[in-house]
């Protein structure tokens, strides 16, 4: 079996290999390190495949890599780590607005930085670019680089596709049965479920398009192209969308060929080695290990002290099971850390999750981390706060892979219950292992899939996968005009039948009066 897997890998490598090297500009303007996990992996893979990759991002590569060049370092700071749990939850109430503004409009201002302006005014032409890969979060203004360089644009998103991506990619929204990004309910069963799903998806499109419309002026001014198409038109020109999803996670849905699911793309690389101290802690966890990490923008130190102490008491109860807790600044934690808990400011998360002793992952529910846990078959306790985190944990809870805790009301009893379920009820471990098998079972890896379709677009042109639905208004796509026409026809038919019956009944009534008149005479 081992040799069969090696042979299959070699065959797939040959199938996706290209003898033509392209020059690709990759633009990742958002300063979220977890998001860049996916984008950095893709860019490095393209470089290893022989393409010349130029990258604009906040995260320059630490080690030189052939064909990979950080042409602009945006040097963003993780300002969002200073936001408290309560503030994140308040932002969640208007998440689409913040995606369009805080994570969109404000990020477009980076186009006016000196390095960006120098690139815009004098882009390299030896050789010229063949393709632009742009992150799509809240800033479609960066799609203008495709127009500037006259090349196709591929977008990448580290989430489940937003409903507005479905809109401009000509992809069916599937409100009747598929829960959209902004709907935290993973299951669509009743009429009211469908009503709410449709509302959240259409409302998000309207809000995002309204608040992000100003990016057209920002983009035109920054690129000194006053007649460049607006951002809505540029969105419809996107040649390919790579989305961080897989059917085993959110469910099955029909999608256009121009939208490719590459969920878990970032977990294909060899994970960095663990430090000797952490490796010793994991290896000695004979009774099991709980890994506690709330990602890169949320620190456990930001929780109220009372909440942290409740977590301490709960984690102490599971001893001799050990706990590895990620804490950016452990000195800010309250005193009383249990003896079975080890803190670390940074750790190779994937290395921890795939360790044989890891039994539970306590997470904020970010898609990257939950995909890593799924890949490794580790059940989760979710403490979500923002964006897709609540939806992710609720989706996994629905599949018996996770247990959700309210980030604003964490109790000792709630944590006790969650740990007891995941450590002692075998259905969670079994469900996680089954989901892991489904998540891994693919004809090609996520990286090879992404690279194949990127090369396909360059070879065959930006229109090769584009749906004609991108040019249709929503009322044509949803057949409102057709159903309206059929409704009018049906109404006319009913009215005609009513007139006919009325006429027939009147004639019958008149005929019935004739014999009566004769008798009276």
């Amino acid at each position: 079996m081992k040799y069969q897997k090696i042979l299959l890998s070699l065959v797939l490598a040959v199938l996706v290999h290209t003898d033509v090297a392209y020059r690709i500009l990759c633009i990742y303007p958002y300063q979220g390190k977890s998001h860049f996990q996916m984008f950095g992996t893709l860019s490095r893979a393209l470089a290893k495949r022989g393409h010349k990759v130029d990258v604009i991002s906040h995260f320059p590569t630490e080690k030189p890599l052939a064909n990979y060049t950080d042409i602009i370092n945006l040097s963003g700071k993780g300002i969002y780590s200073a936001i408290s749990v309560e503030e994140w939850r308040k932002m969640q109430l208007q998440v689409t607005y913040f995606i369009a503004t805080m994570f969109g409009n404000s990020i477009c201002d980076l186009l006016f930085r000196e390095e960006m302006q120098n690139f815009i005014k004098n882009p390299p032409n030896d050789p010229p670019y063949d393709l632009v890969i742009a992150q799509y979060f809240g800033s479609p203004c960066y799609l203008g680089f495709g127009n500037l360089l006259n090349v196709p644009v591929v977008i990448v998103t580290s989430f489940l596709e937003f409903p507005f991506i479905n809109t401009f990619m000509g992809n069916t929204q599937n409100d009747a049965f598929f829960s959209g990004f902004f709907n935290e309910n993973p299951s669509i069963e009743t009429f009211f479920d469908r009503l709410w799903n449709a509302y959240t998806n259409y409302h998000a499109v309207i809000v995002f398009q309204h608040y992000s419309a100003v990016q057209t002026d920002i983009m035109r001014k920054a690129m000194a192209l006053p007649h460049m198409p607006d951002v809505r038109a540029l969105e419809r020109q996107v040649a390919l969308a790579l989305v961080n999803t897989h059917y085993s996670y959110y469910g099955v849905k029909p999608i256009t060929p121009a939208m490719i699911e590459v969920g878990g793309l970032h977990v294909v690389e060899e994970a960095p080695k663990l430090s000797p101290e952490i490796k010793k802690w994991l290896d000695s966890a004979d009774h099991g290990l709980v890994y506690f990490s709330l990602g890169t923008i949320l620190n456990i130190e930001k929780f109220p002290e009372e909440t942290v102490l409740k977590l301490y008491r709960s984690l102490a109860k599971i001893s001799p099971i050990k706990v590895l807790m990620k804490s950016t600044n452990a000195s800010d934690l309250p005193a009383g850390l249990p003896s079975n808990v080890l803190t670390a400011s940074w750790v190779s998360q994937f290395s921890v999750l795939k360790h044989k002793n890891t039994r539970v992952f306590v997470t904020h529910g970010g898609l990257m981390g939950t995909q890593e846990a799924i890949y490794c078959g580790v059940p989760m306790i979710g403490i979500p706060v923002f964006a897709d985190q609540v939806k992710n944990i609720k989706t996994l809870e629905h599949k018996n892979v996770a247990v959700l805790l309210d980030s604003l009301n964490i109790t000792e009893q709630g944590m006790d219950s969650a740990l007891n379920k995941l450590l002692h009820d075998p259905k969670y471990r079994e469900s996680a292992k089954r989901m892991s098998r489904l998540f891994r079972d693919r004809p090609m890896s996520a990286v090879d899939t992404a690279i194949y379709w990127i090369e396909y677009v360059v070879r065959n042109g930006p229109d090769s996968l584009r749906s004609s639905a991108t040019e249709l208004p929503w009322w044509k796509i949803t057949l409102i005009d057709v159903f309206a026409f059929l409704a009018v026809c049906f109404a006319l038919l009913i009215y005609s039948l009513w007139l006919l019956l009325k006429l027939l009944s009147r004639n019958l009534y008149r005929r019935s009066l004739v014999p009566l008149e004769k008798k009276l005479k």
Side-chain angles (χ1 to χ4, degrees):
M1 181 61 71
K2 179 180 179 181
Y3 296 108
Q4 289 176 338
K5 289 183 177 180
I6 294 174
L7 180 60
L8 178 60
S9 298
L10 291 173
V11 170
L12 290 176
V14 171
L15 288 175
V16 300
H17 179 71
T18 177
D19 293 325
V20 180
Y22 302 121
R23 187 170 192 180
I24 301 172
L25 175 64
C26 299
I27 309 171
Y28 311 124
Y30 174 59
Q31 62 267 48
K33 190 171 184 179
S34 61
H35 298 243
F36 189 75
Q37 282 184 279
M38 174 184 178
F39 310 141
T41 301
L42 176 61
S43 299
R44 290 189 293 271
L46 286 165
K48 291 177 181 177
R49 198 61 58 90
H51 300 298
K52 182 175 174 55
V53 179
D54 293 344
V55 180
I56 299 174
S57 79
H58 298 266
F59 307 100
T61 185
E62 297 178 357
K63 296 180 180 179
L65 177 66
N67 302 319
Y68 186 107
T69 306
D70 291 296
I71 59 171
I72 298 178
N73 178 10
L74 298 174
S75 302
K77 296 181 180 179
I79 58 172
Y80 305 121
S81 61
I83 300 176
S84 68
V85 177
E86 292 77 10
E87 290 171 319
W88 279 117
R89 290 301 296 268
K90 288 178 181 177
M91 289 168 59
Q92 179 68 6
L93 300 175
Q94 297 179 319
V95 61
T96 313
Y97 167 79
F98 285 105
I99 288 175
T101 55
M102 179 184 288
F103 308 119
N105 300 345
S106 62
I107 291 177
C108 291
D109 292 337
L110 294 173
L111 290 169
F112 294 100
R113 290 185 55 165
E114 183 180 356
E115 310 96 301
M116 294 289 276
Q117 283 295 299
N118 291 338
F119 179 90
I120 289 169
K121 294 172 182 177
N122 188 28
N125 290 306
D126 187 22
Y129 287 107
D130 298 292
L131 182 76
V132 168
I133 299 177
Q135 176 187 9
Y136 192 99
F137 186 15
S139 50
C141 56
Y142 288 90
L143 301 179
F145 278 95
N147 190 274
L148 177 73
L149 302 172
N150 194 29
V151 295
V153 175
V154 172
I155 62 170
V156 289
T157 177
S158 53
F159 298 105
L160 169 69
E161 67 274 7
F162 298 125
F164 29 93
I165 292 180
N166 280 325
T167 298
F168 66 73
M169 293 302 296
N171 197 55
T172 305
Q173 190 65 48
N174 307 310
D175 293 322
F177 64 92
F178 187 81
S179 176
F181 178 91
F182 296 99
N183 184 0
E184 295 176 355
N185 182 8
S187 178
I188 307 298
E189 298 175 356
T190 68
F191 166 78
F192 291 104
D193 288 340
R194 289 183 283 119
L195 181 64
W196 177 249
N197 195 42
Y199 168 76
T200 55
N201 289 327
Y202 282 104
H203 178 261
V205 173
I206 294 169
V207 170
F208 180 80
Q209 291 185 348
H210 172 73
Y211 285 105
S212 64
V214 298
Q215 295 185 28
T216 294
D217 292 333
I218 298 173
M219 174 186 66
R220 287 172 175 171
K221 183 178 180 181
M223 297 187 180
L225 293 172
H227 302 296
M228 180 183 287
D230 63 28
V231 290
R232 301 287 87 90
L234 292 177
E235 287 172 338
R236 293 194 298 272
Q237 293 174 11
V238 168
L240 177 71
L242 301 176
V243 296
N244 191 24
T245 60
H246 188 257
Y247 77 90
S248 63
Y249 198 117
Y250 293 112
V252 176
K253 63 182 185 295
I255 55 176
T256 175
M259 185 177 290
I260 305 298
E261 292 189 320
V262 291
L265 183 149
H266 68 291
V267 301
V268 299
E269 290 186 318
E270 288 294 324
K273 292 183 178 180
L274 297 167
S275 68
E277 181 187 15
I278 292 176
K279 187 177 187 303
K280 181 180 178 180
W281 186 257
L282 267 64
D283 290 343
S284 63
D286 297 327
H287 297 276
L289 178 120
V290 173
Y291 175 51
F292 192 118
S293 173
L294 300 180
T296 57
I297 65 172
L298 183 66
N299 302 318
I300 187 172
E301 304 95 287
K302 294 298 178 182
F303 280 84
E305 180 176 337
E306 182 183 352
T307 299
V308 178
L309 292 176
K310 290 175 183 176
L311 293 172
Y312 281 4
R313 292 193 292 270
S314 183
L315 294 173
K317 294 175 187 177
I318 65 173
S319 183
I321 294 174
K322 293 187 174 184
V323 180
L324 177 62
M325 177 182 289
K326 180 180 176 293
S327 173
T328 303
N329 191 355
S331 62
D332 289 340
L333 289 172
L337 189 73
S339 60
N340 65 325
V341 178
L342 175 70
T343 63
S345 60
W346 183 89
V347 65
S348 173
Q349 180 164 282
F350 187 57
S351 297
V352 174
L353 289 172
K354 72 177 185 178
H355 194 279
K356 61 182 178 65
N357 290 337
T358 302
R359 295 175 59 185
V360 175
F361 179 29
V362 182
T363 172
H364 65 309
L367 190 53
M368 300 295 179
T370 56
Q371 285 177 339
E372 291 173 356
I374 289 166
Y375 189 92
C376 298
V378 178
M380 290 161 266
I381 295 173
I383 308 176
V385 294
F386 184 68
D388 63 336
Q389 296 164 13
V390 177
K391 179 181 182 64
N392 294 340
I393 296 301
K394 284 189 174 182
T395 299
L396 297 173
E397 188 175 47
H398 187 69
K399 297 175 181 288
N400 290 324
V401 177
V403 173
L404 184 147
L405 297 180
D406 184 353
S407 57
L408 293 179
N409 187 29
I410 297 176
T411 65
E412 183 180 344
Q413 294 76 17
M415 190 65 176
D416 288 347
S417 176
L419 286 168
N420 182 63
K421 287 178 181 178
L422 268 62
L423 290 171
H424 303 296
D425 189 339
K427 77 175 181 181
Y428 291 98
R429 190 76 176 180
E430 292 168 1
S431 297
K433 291 296 183 184
R434 168 174 166 74
M435 192 170 178
S436 177
R437 289 195 300 271
L438 292 173
F439 190 69
R440 293 186 184 208
D441 194 354
R442 316 183 192 191
M444 293 172 63
S445 70
V447 166
D448 286 339
T449 300
I451 291 176
Y452 174 83
W453 288 108
I454 287 171
E455 294 172 347
Y456 180 95
V457 165
V458 181
R459 287 195 305 267
N460 298 294
D463 297 328
S464 54
L465 297 172
R466 187 176 297 145
S467 168
S468 58
T470 59
E471 302 300 327
L472 295 177
W474 68 271
W475 52 271
K476 285 187 179 180
I477 292 175
T478 53
L479 296 178
I480 293 295
D481 53 342
V482 173
F483 286 116
F485 173 77
L486 293 176
V488 170
C489 290
F490 182 73
L492 289 174
L493 177 61
I494 296 298
Y495 181 67
S496 298
L497 290 174
W498 179 76
L499 289 178
L500 180 60
L501 289 174
K502 185 177 180 181
L503 181 62
L504 289 174
S505 63
R506 187 176 294 173
N507 289 337
L508 289 174
Y509 177 72
R510 287 176 179 176
R511 289 185 181 182
S512 66
L513 291 178
V514 172
L516 181 60
E517 290 175 354
K518 289 181 178 180
K519 289 181 179 180
L520 292 174
K521 290 180 179 179

